[in-house]
């Protein structure tokens, strides 16, 4: 059975050219990057070239980029460092963050740190007035952790504006940029962000590798103690081939950003048009036609016996989509993001998320399958 993969916000397929760039570091260039002889030096060079390239693309210096195991670790590190090293006493986040953020914030709440959640508008956007109100309450210092793009509904945060609000209130700002690194041009040094993150597997790079951006404005202590790798910040022999793959994937995504984003934007619109025309009762979640990821279309189907089983029925037809974030996909508790939106009781939400390889033919095929399942 030919499968159709519309779950690219969960993860993407490794690009063959990325694999090609990684392969030498899985085979002949196997040296430990900390070794001083030639094998070690060539591995080290691979890592530092990757860091330089990633830093340049993201508008920062190599010294501000730390390689990690992915988005979750980077978020945990940023939030933990904010509490431990910057003395943060108050975390402000939103109820629609990724669990990497929410569960870390809840952990620190149990340790005595004040936790506040901003209001979410019916559009799914963060209410910036609510953010300003919370920022003016004590105690200080404050960490604001808000995601740049929501992985379930696609809404985009006005990152520049939020950075300025944080600056005006002397707050630290962590922005989870996992869904936008590799998908949008980003210049970290022009944004008032103290911490940001990325994960290679969201843009055709390998899994298990990510970045944490730490601005010059903050000084944090080592995240993992040990052998002093990552300039003493994250000890442990580096994920050499992952790091090389991350950089190659980001370079490729940057080179073809214009054409790829145009293609995916048109896929999203086409799918929305076809669903509206052919499937009765569908609605779309979030600000899908406005400030929204071009990769994500979150659709609500009216709740019926047939739509209750929709994810499973689609899977049986070879169509891979998700009901929420990857960790909760298929779980009966539903999505914590959709629960924050109005009119969420009588609907079944399905997230369709695209990559540059998807086609309108695939969309037609999914629509036909939906007609059969729901007809
Ligand atoms: C917005 C967002 N933040 C964080 C993560 C976690 O990233 P990782 O799976 O690389 O740990 C994800 C991945 O689903 C995500 O979409």
């Amino acid at each position: 059975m030919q499968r159709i993969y519309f779950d690219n916000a969960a993860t993407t397929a490794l690009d063959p050219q990325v694999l090609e760039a990684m392969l030498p570091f899985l085979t002949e260039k196997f040296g430990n990057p900390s070794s001083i002889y030639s094998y070690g030096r060539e591995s080290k060079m691979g890592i530092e070239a990757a860091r330089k390239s990633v830093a340049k693309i993201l508008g920062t210096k190599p010294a501000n980029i730390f390689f990690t195991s992915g988005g979750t670790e980077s978020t945990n590190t940023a939030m933990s460092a904010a509490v431990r090293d910057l003395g943060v006493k108050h975390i402000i986040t939103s109820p629609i963050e990724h669990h990497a953020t929410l569960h870390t914030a809840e952990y620190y709440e149990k340790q005595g740190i004040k936790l506040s959640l901003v209001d979410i508008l019916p559009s799914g956007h963060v209410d910036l007035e609510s953010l300003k109100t919370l920022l003016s309450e004590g105690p200080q210092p404050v960490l604001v952790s808000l995601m740049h793009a929501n992985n379930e509904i696609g809404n985009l945060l006005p990152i520049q504006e939020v950075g300025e609000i944080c600056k005006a209130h002397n707050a630290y700002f962590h922005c989870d940029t996992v869904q936008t690194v590799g998908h949008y041009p980003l210049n970290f040094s022009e944004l008032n962000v103290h911490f940001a993150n990325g994960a290679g597997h969201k843009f055709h790079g390998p899994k298990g590798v990510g970045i944490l951006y730490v601005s010059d404005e903050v000084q944090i202590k080592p995240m993992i103690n040990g052998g002093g790798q990552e300039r003493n910040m994250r000890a442990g022999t580096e994920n050499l081939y992952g790091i090389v793959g991350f950089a190659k994937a980001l370079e490729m995504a940057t080179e073809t950003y214009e054409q790829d984003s145009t293609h995916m934007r048109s896929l999203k619109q086409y799918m929305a048009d076809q669903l509206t025309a052919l499937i009765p009762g569908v609605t779309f979640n979030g600000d899908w036609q406005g400030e929204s990821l071009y990769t994500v279309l979150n659709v609500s189907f009216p709740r019926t016996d047939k739509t209750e089983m929709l994810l499973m029925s689609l899977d049986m037809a070879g169509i891979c989509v998700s009901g929420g974030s990857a960790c909760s996909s298929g779980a009966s508790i539903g999505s914590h993001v959709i629960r924050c939106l109005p009119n969420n009781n009588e609907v079944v939400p399905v997230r369709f998320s695209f990559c540059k390889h998807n086609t309108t033919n695939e969309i037609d095929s999914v629509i036909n399958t939906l007609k059969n399942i729901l007809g």
Side-chain angles (χ1 to χ4, degrees):
M1 181 171 50
Q2 188 86 25
R3 285 187 292 181
I4 295 178
Y5 186 73
F6 277 176
D7 202 17
N8 291 281
T11 198
T12 53
L14 187 72
D15 192 290
Q17 285 185 58
V18 174
L19 177 63
E20 207 178 300
M22 292 166 68
L23 273 174
F25 293 92
L26 279 153
T27 51
E28 76 266 24
K29 297 187 185 195
F30 63 85
N32 187 319
S34 299
S35 301
I36 54 163
Y37 43 77
S38 59
Y39 275 113
R41 288 198 305 274
E42 67 191 12
S43 294
K44 186 82 175 165
M45 272 168 57
I47 293 176
E48 293 317 317
R51 195 188 316 276
K52 207 166 151 193
S53 167
V54 168
K56 186 157 183 254
I57 290 171
L58 297 175
T60 184
K61 301 189 298 286
N64 300 103
I65 297 291
F66 298 93
F67 289 109
T68 67
S69 68
T72 301
E73 181 189 322
S74 299
T75 289
N76 272 262
T77 300
M79 296 180 76
S80 303
V83 172
R84 191 192 54 197
D85 306 327
L86 307 176
V88 158
K89 303 258 178 313
H90 182 188
I91 296 174
I92 301 176
T93 185
S94 91
I96 61 169
E97 297 302 299
H98 191 273
H99 283 138
T101 301
L102 278 175
H103 291 168
T104 308
E106 285 158 8
Y107 167 81
Y108 282 111
E109 185 184 29
K110 287 197 189 105
Q111 311 295 310
I113 303 297
K114 180 175 170 186
L115 172 61
S116 304
L117 299 179
V118 293
D119 293 339
I120 297 298
L121 299 168
S123 59
H125 285 301
V126 166
D127 180 349
L128 297 184
E129 291 311 311
S130 148
L131 173 63
K132 288 179 200 162
T133 306
L134 292 171
L135 274 165
S136 53
E137 292 170 3
Q140 298 267 0
V142 183
L143 172 72
V144 171
S145 180
L146 291 172
M147 68 208 306
H148 189 196
N150 187 278
N151 52 305
E152 296 195 28
I153 55 173
N155 276 30
L156 283 163
L157 183 83
I159 185 171
Q160 184 90 39
E161 196 179 346
V162 170
E164 279 157 20
I165 294 171
C166 290
K167 193 170 188 181
H169 289 81
N170 268 324
Y172 297 109
F173 180 25
H174 163 240
C175 191
D176 174 351
T177 46
V178 164
Q179 291 289 340
T180 48
V181 165
H183 292 281
Y184 286 83
L186 284 173
N187 187 317
F188 285 150
S189 54
E190 284 176 0
L191 300 167
N192 285 309
V193 289
H194 296 95
F195 303 100
N197 48 348
H201 68 110
K202 304 291 186 185
F203 48 92
H204 303 289
K207 294 175 190 28
V209 61
I211 52 158
L212 173 65
Y213 161 79
V214 183
S215 94
D216 286 335
E217 284 177 46
V218 291
Q219 298 294 320
I220 62 167
K221 300 219 172 74
M223 318 163 188
I224 298 178
N225 297 297
Q229 289 89 347
E230 291 296 288
R231 294 181 315 294
N232 267 328
M233 289 298 289
R234 182 182 186 270
T237 301
E238 298 89 335
N239 176 0
L240 171 61
Y241 33 85
I243 290 170
V244 168
F246 183 103
K248 178 68 180 174
L250 188 60
E251 286 157 17
M252 289 180 64
T254 307
E255 266 161 39
T256 55
Y257 161 69
E258 292 292 342
Q259 74 211 55
D260 293 344
S261 58
T262 304
H263 173 64
M264 284 179 262
R265 194 166 275 119
S266 73
L267 289 180
K268 173 173 170 170
Q269 187 63 48
Y270 181 74
M271 176 129 206
D273 292 344
Q274 294 299 302
L275 283 166
T276 308
L278 300 168
I279 310 289
V282 293
T283 53
F284 302 101
N285 295 310
D287 186 19
W288 69 281
Q289 280 181 306
E291 291 304 310
S292 178
L293 284 176
Y294 54 79
T295 45
V296 169
L297 182 66
N298 194 303
V299 184
S300 275
F301 294 85
R303 191 175 286 282
T304 64
D305 289 352
K306 286 174 181 161
T307 56
E308 289 275 11
M309 307 291 288
L310 194 52
L311 289 188
M312 211 187 297
S313 309
L314 287 169
D315 180 32
M316 279 160 63
I319 296 165
C320 309
V321 291
S322 112
S325 60
C327 348
S328 57
S329 103
S332 58
I333 50 159
S335 149
H336 68 288
V337 177
I338 300 295
R339 272 201 299 277
C340 289
L341 300 181
N343 310 322
N344 61 61
N345 279 336
E346 292 312 312
V347 295
V348 172
V350 178
R351 178 185 68 183
F352 298 90
S353 52
F354 309 108
C355 78
K356 60 185 175 182
H357 303 302
N358 290 133
T359 63
T360 49
N361 282 345
E362 288 179 314
I363 293 177
D364 290 337
S365 171
V366 170
I367 301 278
N368 270 333
T369 307
L370 280 168
K371 281 200 293 189
N372 289 338
I373 296 171
L374 305 174

